[in-house]
Amino acid sequence: MAAKPTKKEITKPKNKGPSSIAWAAVSLWKSASRSDLSEPMMMMASGEASFDVVSEFDAQELTNALDQVRRELATRFDLKDSNTELVLGKESLTITTADETKLKNVIMIIEEKLSKRGLSPFLLDTAGSDIEAALGGRVRQEINLRSGIDKELAKKIVAEIKGLKLKVQAAIQGEQVRVTGKSRDDLQAVIAHLKQCGNKWEAPLQFNNFR
């Protein structure tokens, strides 16, 4: 019969601690730089919120608005015989009609339909193009569609935000402006102010990616 082990011989297994794989994972996490983290994760870590100031439009909604304009032109007594044509390009809208008075009326109808479909009437850069003579004694105007925030407008936006003296930061990123801050109320105040500025500047501004 085998002898029983003595008290000294009975020992508890040693705690080997985390496996080598676990330690390797911890080391990788600790050594990761902030640049390796996605932007949402960085924002969560810093406690900041942000939004983007952009100038863009929904092409399908613009097409729908112009379809409504064409239907109205076909029934309005003062415009149904104007032989008005609307040609939508990638970056412009060309209007051809009987005379300058009717051209102004057509543009007013277009702006009204844009507003009803949630598009800014400032989308049409009517001041940036001339009225030309067309065939048959008619007139034509090729109107540029505003899209993207150019450098001049971006600088205005940043200056307006700085003038509010709120705890937010604004940075130009291509054709948009990124606004960040810890207070969501401050960011909402910036949006409200920029909406008024957009009307003053006749710029179609939108505010996306609020998070």
Side-chain angles (χ1 to χ4, degrees):
M1 187 172 179
K4 293 182 179 180
T6 63
K7 191 172 183 180
K8 290 183 178 180
E9 293 173 331
I10 301 174
T11 58
K12 294 182 180 180
K14 293 182 179 180
N15 184 3
K16 295 182 179 181
S19 68
S20 58
I21 295 176
W23 276 116
V26 170
S27 298
L28 284 172
W29 180 82
K30 287 183 176 181
S31 63
S33 65
R34 289 180 64 87
S35 61
D36 296 327
L37 300 175
S38 65
E39 187 175 4
M41 291 176 65
M42 291 175 62
M43 289 172 58
M44 289 174 62
S46 64
E48 289 191 337
S50 72
F51 68 87
D52 298 325
V53 187
V54 300
S55 182
E56 55 193 26
F57 61 90
D58 186 324
Q60 185 57 54
E61 283 299 321
L62 176 56
T63 298
N64 294 340
L66 294 178
D67 287 342
Q68 291 180 336
V69 173
R70 291 186 182 97
R71 288 195 292 270
E72 181 166 336
L73 293 177
T75 58
R76 276 188 52 157
F77 73 94
D78 58 333
L79 293 171
K80 63 182 180 180
D81 297 325
S82 63
N83 196 19
T84 299
E85 296 177 2
L86 306 176
V87 179
L88 178 61
K90 187 176 181 181
E91 298 179 349
S92 65
L93 171 65
T94 302
I95 306 171
T96 307
T97 190
D99 54 52
E100 291 192 25
T101 299
K102 288 183 173 56
L103 177 62
K104 291 178 181 178
N105 291 336
V106 170
I107 291 174
M108 288 176 61
I109 295 172
I110 294 173
E111 291 176 341
E112 176 188 343
K113 300 303 181 186
L114 290 177
S115 296
K116 287 185 176 180
R117 299 201 71 90
L119 298 175
S120 172
F122 299 136
L123 168 62
L124 304 178
D125 185 11
T126 54
S129 58
D130 297 326
I131 301 173
E132 304 172 344
L135 293 175
R138 299 193 296 165
V139 296
R140 178 178 57 242
Q141 186 175 16
E142 183 178 2
I143 301 172
N144 293 327
L145 303 175
R146 291 189 174 103
S147 180
I149 295 176
D150 60 28
K151 290 182 179 180
E152 183 180 349
L153 180 56
K155 289 178 181 179
K156 283 184 180 180
I157 292 171
V158 172
E160 285 289 335
I161 293 172
K162 288 183 177 179
L164 293 174
K165 306 297 183 183
L166 298 173
K167 294 182 179 180
V168 299
Q169 295 80 41
I172 300 172
Q173 298 183 352
E175 293 188 336
Q176 67 181 31
V177 177
R178 170 68 56 85
V179 185
T180 59
K182 292 187 177 181
S183 169
R184 297 175 72 88
D185 289 341
D186 284 350
L187 295 181
Q188 292 284 8
V190 172
I191 290 176
H193 181 72
L194 291 181
K195 284 181 178 179
Q196 295 178 348
C197 291
N199 293 332
K200 179 176 64 176
W201 299 330
E202 296 188 355
L205 300 180
Q206 296 86 41
F207 310 95
N208 297 343
N209 303 323
F210 195 113
R211 56 192 177 216

PDB file of all heavy atoms in Angstrom, residues 150-163:
ATOM      1  N   ASP A 150     -17.032  76.926 -51.231  1.00  0.00           N
ATOM      2  CA  ASP A 150     -15.725  77.377 -51.713  1.00  0.00           C
ATOM      3  C   ASP A 150     -14.922  78.000 -50.568  1.00  0.00           C
ATOM      4  O   ASP A 150     -15.421  78.194 -49.454  1.00  0.00           O
ATOM      5  CB  ASP A 150     -15.873  78.343 -52.890  1.00  0.00           C
ATOM      6  CG  ASP A 150     -16.678  79.597 -52.541  1.00  0.00           C
ATOM      7  OD1 ASP A 150     -16.683  80.006 -51.360  1.00  0.00           O
ATOM      8  OD2 ASP A 150     -17.302  80.174 -53.446  1.00  0.00           O
ATOM      9  N   LYS A 151     -13.660  78.318 -50.848  1.00  0.00           N
ATOM     10  CA  LYS A 151     -12.758  78.805 -49.799  1.00  0.00           C
ATOM     11  C   LYS A 151     -13.250  80.111 -49.175  1.00  0.00           C
ATOM     12  O   LYS A 151     -13.162  80.304 -47.960  1.00  0.00           O
ATOM     13  CB  LYS A 151     -11.347  78.993 -50.364  1.00  0.00           C
ATOM     14  CG  LYS A 151     -10.653  77.686 -50.702  1.00  0.00           C
ATOM     15  CD  LYS A 151      -9.244  77.934 -51.204  1.00  0.00           C
ATOM     16  CE  LYS A 151      -8.539  76.621 -51.515  1.00  0.00           C
ATOM     17  NZ  LYS A 151      -7.154  76.830 -52.010  1.00  0.00           N
ATOM     18  N   GLU A 152     -13.763  80.999 -50.022  1.00  0.00           N
ATOM     19  CA  GLU A 152     -14.224  82.295 -49.511  1.00  0.00           C
ATOM     20  C   GLU A 152     -15.383  82.123 -48.534  1.00  0.00           C
ATOM     21  O   GLU A 152     -15.394  82.724 -47.453  1.00  0.00           O
ATOM     22  CB  GLU A 152     -14.648  83.183 -50.674  1.00  0.00           C
ATOM     23  CG  GLU A 152     -15.086  84.583 -50.247  1.00  0.00           C
ATOM     24  CD  GLU A 152     -15.498  85.451 -51.420  1.00  0.00           C
ATOM     25  OE1 GLU A 152     -15.247  85.059 -52.583  1.00  0.00           O
ATOM     26  OE2 GLU A 152     -16.076  86.530 -51.168  1.00  0.00           O
ATOM     27  N   LEU A 153     -16.362  81.298 -48.919  1.00  0.00           N
ATOM     28  CA  LEU A 153     -17.500  81.064 -48.033  1.00  0.00           C
ATOM     29  C   LEU A 153     -17.072  80.311 -46.784  1.00  0.00           C
ATOM     30  O   LEU A 153     -17.555  80.597 -45.677  1.00  0.00           O
ATOM     31  CB  LEU A 153     -18.590  80.288 -48.778  1.00  0.00           C
ATOM     32  CG  LEU A 153     -19.856  79.952 -47.981  1.00  0.00           C
ATOM     33  CD1 LEU A 153     -20.486  81.213 -47.410  1.00  0.00           C
ATOM     34  CD2 LEU A 153     -20.855  79.201 -48.856  1.00  0.00           C
ATOM     35  N   ALA A 154     -16.154  79.365 -46.926  1.00  0.00           N
ATOM     36  CA  ALA A 154     -15.676  78.605 -45.764  1.00  0.00           C
ATOM     37  C   ALA A 154     -15.020  79.534 -44.744  1.00  0.00           C
ATOM     38  O   ALA A 154     -15.228  79.392 -43.532  1.00  0.00           O
ATOM     39  CB  ALA A 154     -14.701  77.528 -46.216  1.00  0.00           C
ATOM     40  N   LYS A 155     -14.244  80.509 -45.227  1.00  0.00           N
ATOM     41  CA  LYS A 155     -13.603  81.466 -44.315  1.00  0.00           C
ATOM     42  C   LYS A 155     -14.650  82.324 -43.601  1.00  0.00           C
ATOM     43  O   LYS A 155     -14.496  82.641 -42.416  1.00  0.00           O
ATOM     44  CB  LYS A 155     -12.621  82.345 -45.088  1.00  0.00           C
ATOM     45  CG  LYS A 155     -11.374  81.605 -45.551  1.00  0.00           C
ATOM     46  CD  LYS A 155     -10.459  82.518 -46.358  1.00  0.00           C
ATOM     47  CE  LYS A 155      -9.221  81.787 -46.847  1.00  0.00           C
ATOM     48  NZ  LYS A 155      -8.332  82.651 -47.652  1.00  0.00           N
ATOM     49  N   LYS A 156     -15.710  82.697 -44.320  1.00  0.00           N
ATOM     50  CA  LYS A 156     -16.791  83.460 -43.685  1.00  0.00           C
ATOM     51  C   LYS A 156     -17.443  82.648 -42.569  1.00  0.00           C
ATOM     52  O   LYS A 156     -17.732  83.170 -41.481  1.00  0.00           O
ATOM     53  CB  LYS A 156     -17.855  83.824 -44.731  1.00  0.00           C
ATOM     54  CG  LYS A 156     -17.499  84.962 -45.655  1.00  0.00           C
ATOM     55  CD  LYS A 156     -18.672  85.278 -46.559  1.00  0.00           C
ATOM     56  CE  LYS A 156     -18.374  86.423 -47.510  1.00  0.00           C
ATOM     57  NZ  LYS A 156     -19.539  86.719 -48.375  1.00  0.00           N
ATOM     58  N   ILE A 157     -17.682  81.385 -42.852  1.00  0.00           N
ATOM     59  CA  ILE A 157     -18.327  80.511 -41.859  1.00  0.00           C
ATOM     60  C   ILE A 157     -17.465  80.392 -40.609  1.00  0.00           C
ATOM     61  O   ILE A 157     -17.948  80.526 -39.475  1.00  0.00           O
ATOM     62  CB  ILE A 157     -18.599  79.120 -42.472  1.00  0.00           C
ATOM     63  CG1 ILE A 157     -19.682  79.227 -43.552  1.00  0.00           C
ATOM     64  CG2 ILE A 157     -19.016  78.122 -41.398  1.00  0.00           C
ATOM     65  CD1 ILE A 157     -19.872  77.968 -44.365  1.00  0.00           C
ATOM     66  N   VAL A 158     -16.167  80.145 -40.804  1.00  0.00           N
ATOM     67  CA  VAL A 158     -15.260  80.009 -39.663  1.00  0.00           C
ATOM     68  C   VAL A 158     -15.205  81.305 -38.863  1.00  0.00           C
ATOM     69  O   VAL A 158     -15.224  81.285 -37.617  1.00  0.00           O
ATOM     70  CB  VAL A 158     -13.849  79.600 -40.143  1.00  0.00           C
ATOM     71  CG1 VAL A 158     -12.842  79.655 -38.991  1.00  0.00           C
ATOM     72  CG2 VAL A 158     -13.877  78.199 -40.751  1.00  0.00           C
ATOM     73  N   ALA A 159     -15.162  82.443 -39.549  1.00  0.00           N
ATOM     74  CA  ALA A 159     -15.106  83.738 -38.860  1.00  0.00           C
ATOM     75  C   ALA A 159     -16.379  83.984 -38.042  1.00  0.00           C
ATOM     76  O   ALA A 159     -16.313  84.487 -36.912  1.00  0.00           O
ATOM     77  CB  ALA A 159     -14.901  84.860 -39.874  1.00  0.00           C
ATOM     78  N   GLU A 160     -17.531  83.638 -38.601  1.00  0.00           N
ATOM     79  CA  GLU A 160     -18.791  83.810 -37.878  1.00  0.00           C
ATOM     80  C   GLU A 160     -18.824  82.945 -36.625  1.00  0.00           C
ATOM     81  O   GLU A 160     -19.278  83.382 -35.566  1.00  0.00           O
ATOM     82  CB  GLU A 160     -19.973  83.450 -38.777  1.00  0.00           C
ATOM     83  CG  GLU A 160     -20.304  84.490 -39.837  1.00  0.00           C
ATOM     84  CD  GLU A 160     -20.910  85.758 -39.260  1.00  0.00           C
ATOM     85  OE1 GLU A 160     -21.505  85.698 -38.168  1.00  0.00           O
ATOM     86  OE2 GLU A 160     -20.786  86.817 -39.912  1.00  0.00           O
ATOM     87  N   ILE A 161     -18.334  81.721 -36.742  1.00  0.00           N
ATOM     88  CA  ILE A 161     -18.329  80.812 -35.590  1.00  0.00           C
ATOM     89  C   ILE A 161     -17.403  81.335 -34.501  1.00  0.00           C
ATOM     90  O   ILE A 161     -17.752  81.333 -33.315  1.00  0.00           O
ATOM     91  CB  ILE A 161     -17.911  79.396 -36.044  1.00  0.00           C
ATOM     92  CG1 ILE A 161     -18.990  78.800 -36.956  1.00  0.00           C
ATOM     93  CG2 ILE A 161     -17.685  78.481 -34.833  1.00  0.00           C
ATOM     94  CD1 ILE A 161     -18.598  77.491 -37.604  1.00  0.00           C
ATOM     95  N   LYS A 162     -16.238  81.812 -34.883  1.00  0.00           N
ATOM     96  CA  LYS A 162     -15.301  82.370 -33.889  1.00  0.00           C
ATOM     97  C   LYS A 162     -15.895  83.593 -33.205  1.00  0.00           C
ATOM     98  O   LYS A 162     -15.681  83.819 -32.007  1.00  0.00           O
ATOM     99  CB  LYS A 162     -13.982  82.729 -34.562  1.00  0.00           C
ATOM    100  CG  LYS A 162     -13.141  81.522 -34.961  1.00  0.00           C
ATOM    101  CD  LYS A 162     -11.811  81.950 -35.569  1.00  0.00           C
ATOM    102  CE  LYS A 162     -10.947  80.749 -35.906  1.00  0.00           C
ATOM    103  NZ  LYS A 162      -9.644  81.127 -36.519  1.00  0.00           N
ATOM    104  N   GLY A 163     -16.665  84.380 -33.966  1.00  0.00           N
ATOM    105  CA  GLY A 163     -17.268  85.583 -33.404  1.00  0.00           C
ATOM    106  C   GLY A 163     -18.328  85.304 -32.355  1.00  0.00           C
ATOM    107  O   GLY A 163     -18.671  86.192 -31.569  1.00  0.00           O
TER     108      GLY A 163
END
